[in-house]
Amino acid sequence: MTFGFAPASAAASMSAVSANRLLEPAEWAAAGIPLLRNPREVVSGLHARHHPRPATAVVAVLDPDDRLRASASFARRPAPADGWMFRNVLLAQLRRIIPHDLRRRTPVRTAVLLYCREGDARWTEEDGAWMWGLRDACTLHGLRCGAYITLTRDGWQVLGEGRGGRRPHSTSAPEPFATSEAPPPLPRTGGAASEILRRAAAAR
């Protein structure tokens, strides 16, 4: 038995395979990723729930009405960006938080990924690897592949859509969870004031 370095051709081949496990912005935009109805609401809700800091990923599953059904956050390990590794991590998280939909003919629920990182909002190869991983993990779990969102010091951005905002950002304090997701309070009814308003409206 002998030990040594892999031939240069083999190393180059492995490097090429790894490089292919990412998606360019144009590929992502052409993949037919469903648009979020209210991306600001989704981002604010996940930010309030998980308080992500740089190198933190948040994977979430939405129902057909874009309501949050399950989510999990985890720290990205210090290793080279690789879509295959990201796929495995995301798939493990999805299996932990929600049953698969592989028995359905067409996916009903959608998985989205929010990644908080250093740097600016421009696409990076790390983003491309996360995109590849999310798409593959969704296929293996019977989900639709949804939006990939970055959270940086510049704010948040849905890559491939051109939609984003300044808050929240990677260093902003999260809003109280109840404030970010609670519906507006219903108007009170009854009492003397309500009766006066009701009569005034009826007289118009």
Side-chain angles (χ1 to χ4, degrees):
M1 181 180 294
T2 59
F3 297 90
F5 293 104
S9 59
S13 176
M14 291 176 62
S15 176
V17 170
S18 178
N20 288 334
R21 291 197 288 253
L22 61 84
L23 293 176
E24 299 279 349
E27 294 175 292
W28 183 258
I33 305 300
L35 300 178
L36 290 171
R37 296 178 186 177
N38 191 335
R40 185 182 301 277
E41 182 178 302
V42 172
V43 172
S44 296
L46 294 178
H47 186 262
R49 181 183 291 267
H50 293 281
H51 308 177
R53 285 292 176 259
T56 302
V58 181
V59 62
V61 178
L62 310 177
D63 69 10
D65 295 321
D66 274 5
R67 290 176 298 195
L68 180 65
R69 284 292 168 251
S71 63
S73 61
F74 54 95
R76 180 207 187 303
R77 294 182 178 178
D82 188 316
W84 185 78
M85 296 295 292
F86 289 167
R87 185 276 308 273
N88 291 343
V89 172
L90 290 169
L91 189 57
Q93 295 293 333
L94 289 171
R95 287 171 173 166
R96 184 173 65 84
I97 63 175
I98 201 161
H100 68 74
D101 278 346
L102 294 171
R103 292 186 181 89
R104 293 182 178 273
R105 291 185 178 181
T106 58
V108 173
R109 296 179 293 190
T110 303
V112 301
L113 180 63
L114 171 72
Y115 183 53
C116 182
R117 61 169 173 77
E118 301 286 0
D120 57 34
R122 288 176 295 183
W123 179 88
T124 67
E125 289 192 356
E126 182 183 25
D127 294 326
W130 279 117
M131 291 171 168
W132 191 97
L134 176 63
R135 185 186 64 177
D136 220 40
C138 288
T139 299
L140 294 174
H141 205 63
L143 302 171
R144 289 199 307 171
C145 180
Y148 173 70
I149 307 160
T150 58
L151 192 68
T152 66
R153 64 173 179 265
D154 297 329
W156 59 272
Q157 179 177 233
V158 185
L159 292 192
E161 292 186 21
R163 294 192 289 176
R166 294 184 178 180
R167 295 188 65 86
H169 52 76
S170 59
T171 58
S172 62
E175 299 176 7
F177 182 68
T179 302
S180 67
E181 292 200 351
L186 295 173
R188 294 182 179 181
T189 58
S194 294
E195 181 63 19
I196 292 171
L197 291 173
R198 185 186 66 78
R199 290 177 180 176
R204 289 178 182 174

Short mmCIF file of all heavy atoms in Angstrom, two decimals, residues 1-34:
data_model
loop_
_atom_site.label_atom_id
_atom_site.label_comp_id
_atom_site.label_asym_id
_atom_site.label_seq_id
_atom_site.Cartn_x
_atom_site.Cartn_y
_atom_site.Cartn_z
N MET A 1 0.85 -1.19 0.00
CA MET A 1 0.00 0.00 0.00
C MET A 1 0.88 1.23 0.00
O MET A 1 1.86 1.31 0.74
CB MET A 1 -0.90 -0.01 1.24
CG MET A 1 -1.85 1.20 1.32
SD MET A 1 -2.89 1.14 2.79
CE MET A 1 -3.89 -0.30 2.42
N THR A 2 0.56 2.19 -0.85
CA THR A 2 1.35 3.40 -0.92
C THR A 2 0.46 4.60 -0.63
O THR A 2 -0.75 4.58 -0.84
CB THR A 2 1.96 3.57 -2.32
OG1 THR A 2 0.91 3.61 -3.29
CG2 THR A 2 2.91 2.43 -2.64
N PHE A 3 1.07 5.62 -0.11
CA PHE A 3 0.35 6.86 0.21
C PHE A 3 1.00 7.99 -0.55
O PHE A 3 2.19 7.96 -0.84
CB PHE A 3 0.41 7.14 1.72
CG PHE A 3 -0.26 6.09 2.55
CD1 PHE A 3 0.45 5.00 3.02
CD2 PHE A 3 -1.61 6.19 2.84
CE1 PHE A 3 -0.17 4.02 3.79
CE2 PHE A 3 -2.24 5.22 3.61
CZ PHE A 3 -1.51 4.14 4.08
N GLY A 4 0.23 8.98 -0.86
CA GLY A 4 0.79 10.14 -1.56
C GLY A 4 -0.31 11.09 -1.96
O GLY A 4 -1.48 10.92 -1.58
N PHE A 5 0.02 12.09 -2.73
CA PHE A 5 -0.95 13.06 -3.18
C PHE A 5 -1.69 12.52 -4.39
O PHE A 5 -1.16 11.75 -5.19
CB PHE A 5 -0.24 14.38 -3.54
CG PHE A 5 0.36 15.07 -2.36
CD1 PHE A 5 1.73 15.02 -2.15
CD2 PHE A 5 -0.45 15.75 -1.46
CE1 PHE A 5 2.29 15.66 -1.05
CE2 PHE A 5 0.10 16.39 -0.37
CZ PHE A 5 1.48 16.34 -0.16
N ALA A 6 -2.94 12.96 -4.54
CA ALA A 6 -3.72 12.57 -5.71
C ALA A 6 -3.11 13.22 -6.94
O ALA A 6 -2.55 14.31 -6.87
CB ALA A 6 -5.17 13.02 -5.55
N PRO A 7 -3.20 12.55 -8.08
CA PRO A 7 -2.69 13.16 -9.31
C PRO A 7 -3.36 14.50 -9.56
O PRO A 7 -4.49 14.74 -9.17
CB PRO A 7 -3.08 12.13 -10.38
CG PRO A 7 -3.32 10.85 -9.65
CD PRO A 7 -3.78 11.22 -8.29
N ALA A 8 -2.62 15.36 -10.26
CA ALA A 8 -3.13 16.69 -10.52
C ALA A 8 -4.45 16.65 -11.28
O ALA A 8 -5.35 17.45 -11.03
CB ALA A 8 -2.10 17.50 -11.31
N SER A 9 -4.59 15.69 -12.20
CA SER A 9 -5.83 15.60 -12.99
C SER A 9 -7.01 15.26 -12.10
O SER A 9 -8.12 15.78 -12.27
CB SER A 9 -5.67 14.54 -14.09
OG SER A 9 -5.38 13.28 -13.52
N ALA A 10 -6.79 14.35 -11.12
CA ALA A 10 -7.88 13.97 -10.21
C ALA A 10 -8.26 15.14 -9.33
O ALA A 10 -9.44 15.39 -9.07
CB ALA A 10 -7.45 12.78 -9.35
N ALA A 11 -7.26 15.87 -8.83
CA ALA A 11 -7.55 17.03 -7.98
C ALA A 11 -8.33 18.08 -8.76
O ALA A 11 -9.27 18.69 -8.25
CB ALA A 11 -6.24 17.61 -7.45
N ALA A 12 -7.95 18.29 -10.02
CA ALA A 12 -8.65 19.26 -10.84
C ALA A 12 -10.09 18.83 -11.09
O ALA A 12 -11.01 19.65 -11.10
CB ALA A 12 -7.92 19.45 -12.17
N SER A 13 -10.28 17.51 -11.28
CA SER A 13 -11.62 16.99 -11.50
C SER A 13 -12.50 17.21 -10.29
O SER A 13 -13.65 17.63 -10.39
CB SER A 13 -11.55 15.51 -11.85
OG SER A 13 -12.85 14.97 -11.98
N MET A 14 -11.95 16.94 -9.08
CA MET A 14 -12.71 17.15 -7.85
C MET A 14 -13.06 18.61 -7.69
O MET A 14 -14.16 18.98 -7.27
CB MET A 14 -11.91 16.65 -6.65
CG MET A 14 -11.75 15.14 -6.60
SD MET A 14 -10.70 14.61 -5.23
CE MET A 14 -11.64 15.20 -3.84
N SER A 15 -12.11 19.48 -8.02
CA SER A 15 -12.35 20.91 -7.90
C SER A 15 -13.46 21.36 -8.84
O SER A 15 -14.31 22.18 -8.50
CB SER A 15 -11.07 21.69 -8.20
OG SER A 15 -11.30 23.08 -8.18
N ALA A 16 -13.48 20.80 -10.06
CA ALA A 16 -14.51 21.17 -11.03
C ALA A 16 -15.88 20.72 -10.56
O ALA A 16 -16.87 21.45 -10.71
CB ALA A 16 -14.18 20.54 -12.38
N VAL A 17 -15.96 19.51 -9.97
CA VAL A 17 -17.24 19.02 -9.47
C VAL A 17 -17.76 19.94 -8.37
O VAL A 17 -18.93 20.33 -8.34
CB VAL A 17 -17.11 17.58 -8.96
CG1 VAL A 17 -18.37 17.16 -8.22
CG2 VAL A 17 -16.83 16.63 -10.11
N SER A 18 -16.84 20.31 -7.45
CA SER A 18 -17.23 21.20 -6.36
C SER A 18 -17.70 22.54 -6.89
O SER A 18 -18.67 23.12 -6.42
CB SER A 18 -16.06 21.39 -5.39
OG SER A 18 -16.41 22.27 -4.36
N ALA A 19 -16.99 23.05 -7.91
CA ALA A 19 -17.35 24.35 -8.47
C ALA A 19 -18.71 24.32 -9.14
O ALA A 19 -19.40 25.33 -9.20
CB ALA A 19 -16.28 24.78 -9.47
N ASN A 20 -19.12 23.15 -9.65
CA ASN A 20 -20.42 23.04 -10.31
C ASN A 20 -21.57 22.98 -9.32
O ASN A 20 -22.72 23.09 -9.72
CB ASN A 20 -20.46 21.80 -11.21
CG ASN A 20 -19.61 21.97 -12.45
OD1 ASN A 20 -19.39 23.09 -12.89
ND2 ASN A 20 -19.13 20.88 -12.99
N ARG A 21 -21.27 22.78 -8.04
CA ARG A 21 -22.33 22.69 -7.05
C ARG A 21 -22.68 24.07 -6.52
O ARG A 21 -22.70 24.32 -5.31
CB ARG A 21 -21.92 21.74 -5.92
CG ARG A 21 -21.85 20.28 -6.37
CD ARG A 21 -21.85 19.33 -5.20
NE ARG A 21 -20.58 19.36 -4.49
CZ ARG A 21 -19.67 18.39 -4.55
NH1 ARG A 21 -19.87 17.34 -5.31
NH2 ARG A 21 -18.56 18.48 -3.85
N LEU A 22 -22.93 24.98 -7.44
CA LEU A 22 -23.43 26.30 -7.10
C LEU A 22 -24.25 26.82 -8.26
O LEU A 22 -24.13 26.33 -9.38
CB LEU A 22 -22.28 27.26 -6.74
CG LEU A 22 -21.22 27.58 -7.79
CD1 LEU A 22 -21.67 28.70 -8.73
CD2 LEU A 22 -19.93 28.01 -7.10
N LEU A 23 -25.11 27.77 -7.97
CA LEU A 23 -25.97 28.34 -9.00
C LEU A 23 -25.63 29.82 -9.18
O LEU A 23 -25.53 30.55 -8.20
CB LEU A 23 -27.45 28.19 -8.62
CG LEU A 23 -27.99 26.76 -8.58
CD1 LEU A 23 -29.44 26.76 -8.09
CD2 LEU A 23 -27.91 26.12 -9.96
N GLU A 24 -25.47 30.22 -10.41
CA GLU A 24 -25.26 31.63 -10.72
C GLU A 24 -26.61 32.36 -10.61
O GLU A 24 -27.67 31.74 -10.72
CB GLU A 24 -24.73 31.77 -12.15
CG GLU A 24 -23.39 31.10 -12.40
CD GLU A 24 -22.22 31.95 -11.93
OE1 GLU A 24 -22.45 33.14 -11.61
OE2 GLU A 24 -21.10 31.43 -11.89
N PRO A 25 -26.58 33.67 -10.39
CA PRO A 25 -27.84 34.42 -10.29
C PRO A 25 -28.76 34.23 -11.47
O PRO A 25 -29.99 34.11 -11.31
CB PRO A 25 -27.37 35.88 -10.17
CG PRO A 25 -26.01 35.79 -9.56
CD PRO A 25 -25.41 34.52 -10.12
N ALA A 26 -28.21 34.17 -12.69
CA ALA A 26 -29.05 34.00 -13.88
C ALA A 26 -29.73 32.62 -13.86
O ALA A 26 -30.90 32.50 -14.24
CB ALA A 26 -28.21 34.16 -15.14
N GLU A 27 -29.01 31.59 -13.43
CA GLU A 27 -29.59 30.25 -13.35
C GLU A 27 -30.71 30.22 -12.32
O GLU A 27 -31.76 29.60 -12.53
CB GLU A 27 -28.52 29.23 -12.97
CG GLU A 27 -27.43 29.04 -14.00
CD GLU A 27 -26.35 28.10 -13.49
OE1 GLU A 27 -25.62 28.47 -12.54
OE2 GLU A 27 -26.25 26.99 -14.03
N TRP A 28 -30.48 30.89 -11.20
CA TRP A 28 -31.48 30.93 -10.13
C TRP A 28 -32.74 31.67 -10.62
O TRP A 28 -33.86 31.22 -10.39
CB TRP A 28 -30.89 31.61 -8.91
CG TRP A 28 -31.79 31.66 -7.72
CD1 TRP A 28 -32.50 32.73 -7.28
CD2 TRP A 28 -32.06 30.60 -6.79
NE1 TRP A 28 -33.20 32.41 -6.14
CE2 TRP A 28 -32.96 31.11 -5.82
CE3 TRP A 28 -31.65 29.28 -6.70
CZ2 TRP A 28 -33.42 30.34 -4.76
CZ3 TRP A 28 -32.12 28.50 -5.64
CH2 TRP A 28 -32.99 29.03 -4.69
N ALA A 29 -32.54 32.80 -11.28
CA ALA A 29 -33.67 33.59 -11.76
C ALA A 29 -34.48 32.82 -12.80
O ALA A 29 -35.69 33.00 -12.91
CB ALA A 29 -33.18 34.91 -12.33
N ALA A 30 -33.80 31.95 -13.58
CA ALA A 30 -34.48 31.20 -14.63
C ALA A 30 -35.12 29.91 -14.11
O ALA A 30 -35.77 29.19 -14.87
CB ALA A 30 -33.48 30.85 -15.74
N ALA A 31 -34.94 29.61 -12.83
CA ALA A 31 -35.42 28.34 -12.29
C ALA A 31 -36.89 28.36 -11.90
O ALA A 31 -37.43 27.35 -11.44
CB ALA A 31 -34.58 27.95 -11.07
N GLY A 32 -37.55 29.52 -12.04
CA GLY A 32 -38.97 29.58 -11.71
C GLY A 32 -39.26 29.53 -10.23
O GLY A 32 -40.26 28.94 -9.80
N ILE A 33 -38.39 30.14 -9.42
CA ILE A 33 -38.58 30.16 -7.97
C ILE A 33 -39.83 31.00 -7.66
O ILE A 33 -39.95 32.13 -8.13
CB ILE A 33 -37.36 30.76 -7.26
CG1 ILE A 33 -36.08 30.02 -7.64
CG2 ILE A 33 -37.56 30.76 -5.75
CD1 ILE A 33 -36.08 28.56 -7.29
N PRO A 34 -40.79 30.47 -6.88
CA PRO A 34 -42.01 31.25 -6.60
C PRO A 34 -41.71 32.51 -5.79
O PRO A 34 -40.87 32.49 -4.89
CB PRO A 34 -42.87 30.26 -5.80
CG PRO A 34 -41.91 29.26 -5.25
CD PRO A 34 -40.81 29.14 -6.25
#
